[in-house]
Amino acid sequence: MIDPTLRRPLAITLGLLLLAALPLPGHRLRSAIRSMQSPEPNRADRETHAAGYYVGLIDGGPNSSRDELTLRLLGKASEWQSFHDIGATDYYEDEFLQFGLKPNLQTYAFGRPFTTNAGGQRDRPYALAKRDGTFRIALVGSSMDMGWGVSLEETYENRLEDWLNAHARRRGLACRFEVINFAMAAYSPLHRLDSYLTKVRDYRPDLVLYSATMLDPRLLDIHLRSLVADGTDLKYKFLRDAMAEVRASPDAPGQEAANDPQDRSGLKRKLKPHLARISDATAAELAERCREDGTRMAMVVIPRVGKADAPDERAGTMARLTATANRLNVPLFDLSATFDEHDPATIEIAPWDDHPNGVGHRLLFESLAQKLVEDHALYRTLFGIAPPEGPTTVPVPVEPPAPRP
């Protein structure tokens, strides 16, 4: 019996050997090999492959989302590092948040500097106290927002900060903007909520950008099962109530005999039908806490690169997120179509990794800046004046300044 985890790499290897032996014309052989090497046929399985990465991060283990043979066949560089390899994670024992970024980190990922500031944010340095005349935006999200495989100045949130300040100067305004990145790899919606309450609110943000992705149900599943396995206090009443309902619910028909060695307790199977509802309730809890603090909130949908977030794959999730934002009366900036017209190879950091590269982050920035200009109410909130008259145009991208010493 072949180990299921070895079937795909073995099939790729055998296929390449067979193709090499066939009398195919050179161009057809190259095309066939490229097709087999392409990660795109596996995009539908991204959630499954991603599980190993995120579980490894939470548990303090190495990245196991793809085995070594598969990665090498896909062109993995010998100097490639996983998130675990760069030692960027601080683990918080017996805490709901579980982990975060180490402060004052200086290392490399994918050949790019990976740095954090004194506050443990993947960002420029910011003082805890907010200066007068500063409009402060806090971004809570996961690895796409944190910026994995890109330099600090390439991230879409730093490009956004630069553009906001440049736009204010062009309009003769004295206001100053800070966009602080509190995102962390593997952060589920519940991590983002807890991050706001334990870290973000101390910075007194005027606006919280809550980033959502198509992978959120998977991240939520991993986070919840990890909390339960560790016996960690679930902390929030809405979550305790939801988990009591989950535990009391029967298994879905046909799942009772499912053979999943990672789900011996059956919690994963029980959770699956409830994840979307818990995710929506988490956003609602964050919106309520922001209102209590007098802080505005907006939702932004950040896509991955490739077919996993293609229009037909994301339609149901987008409908749900739109309904949630409408119910909470918060703006929703849908950036999910940002990569649709682009070749994934030009905007992903590697063939085996669907995080956006620097070009992808620039596209995200342009899409988000355009949405901000088009939302007249939020534009007035940001700049204190009405948007420019006439047709709304895509903002001119601002190239990031040279990295700070």
Side-chain angles (χ1 to χ4, degrees), residues 257-305:
N259 182 21
D260 184 350
Q262 303 299 320
D263 189 31
R264 294 193 177 113
S265 69
L267 181 58
K268 180 178 179 179
R269 299 191 301 277
K270 284 178 174 287
L271 268 172
K272 188 173 182 179
H274 300 267
L275 290 172
R277 181 170 56 84
I278 295 174
S279 184
D280 292 344
T282 302
E285 182 76 8
L286 177 58
E288 179 60 29
R289 298 301 184 99
C290 285
R291 275 192 288 269
E292 291 173 357
D293 294 340
T295 302
R296 300 170 182 84
M297 171 180 153
M299 297 174 66
V300 56
V301 181
I302 300 295
R304 292 171 291 171
V305 180

Side-chain angles (χ1 to χ4, degrees), residues 6-271:
L6 298 177
R7 287 175 183 166
R8 173 161 179 78
L10 286 173
I12 293 176
T13 304
L14 181 59
L16 292 172
L17 291 173
L18 289 173
L19 283 170
L22 289 175
L24 294 174
H27 70 281
R28 289 182 59 193
L29 176 59
R30 288 191 297 272
S31 176
I33 291 175
R34 280 198 301 269
S35 178
M36 292 196 69
Q37 289 180 322
S38 170
E40 282 302 314
N42 294 321
R43 298 281 179 174
D45 297 327
R46 281 290 188 180
E47 283 74 8
T48 301
H49 291 307
Y53 168 76
Y54 292 117
V55 170
L57 176 62
I58 292 172
D59 292 342
N63 182 339
S64 58
S65 63
R66 285 191 187 273
D67 60 274
E68 185 69 17
L69 175 58
T70 301
L71 288 172
R72 290 198 179 279
L73 287 170
L74 292 174
K76 169 181 171 289
S78 59
E79 67 273 13
W80 177 79
Q81 293 176 303
S82 71
F83 194 83
H84 177 76
D85 291 335
I86 67 174
T89 311
D90 256 349
Y91 294 97
Y92 312 142
E93 188 174 355
D94 299 324
E95 291 188 23
F96 188 93
L97 193 59
Q98 296 185 315
F99 55 90
L101 284 170
K102 289 181 179 178
N104 298 315
L105 187 70
Q106 293 189 5
T107 185
Y108 287 86
F110 284 83
R112 303 275 188 168
F114 189 97
T115 60
T116 61
N117 61 24
Q121 298 119 20
R122 179 89 210 283
D123 214 334
R124 300 158 174 169
Y126 296 96
L128 183 63
K130 183 172 61 176
R131 288 182 290 179
D132 291 343
T134 298
F135 191 100
R136 182 170 274 181
I137 301 172
L139 173 64
V140 291
S142 58
S143 54
M144 257 82 73
D145 315 281
M146 177 192 72
W148 173 235
V150 297
S151 67
L152 199 62
E153 302 300 334
E154 290 178 298
T155 60
Y156 78 83
E157 63 89 19
N158 269 331
R159 288 178 178 271
L160 177 65
E161 179 182 281
D162 293 337
W163 175 77
L164 287 169
N165 284 301
H167 187 73
R169 288 194 298 271
R170 283 196 297 270
R171 300 214 64 189
L173 305 174
C175 56
R176 173 183 171 82
F177 294 90
E178 294 177 345
V179 184
I180 308 181
N181 192 352
F182 292 88
M184 167 63 176
Y187 265 13
S188 76
L190 284 168
H191 282 113
R192 295 164 217 167
L193 166 66
D194 204 57
S195 176
Y196 171 75
L197 294 172
T198 59
K199 295 182 177 183
V200 176
R201 69 188 339 179
D202 292 340
Y203 285 78
R204 294 177 52 233
D206 300 285
L207 172 68
V208 170
L209 285 179
Y210 172 81
S211 172
T213 75
M214 304 300 131
L215 196 60
D216 281 355
R218 191 74 186 95
L219 297 175
L220 189 59
D221 166 65
I222 296 168
H223 187 193
L224 283 170
R225 288 192 290 122
S226 179
L227 290 172
V228 171
D230 292 344
T232 305
D233 178 20
L234 295 181
K235 195 170 183 177
Y236 300 100
K237 183 180 184 304
F238 83 91
L239 182 58
R240 290 194 294 267
D241 292 345
M243 289 303 291
E245 185 177 339
V246 167
R247 290 188 177 96
S249 65
D251 279 326
Q255 289 188 336
E256 294 87 348
N259 182 21
D260 184 350
Q262 303 299 320
D263 189 31
R264 294 193 177 113
S265 69
L267 181 58
K268 180 178 179 179
R269 299 191 301 277
K270 284 178 174 287
L271 268 172

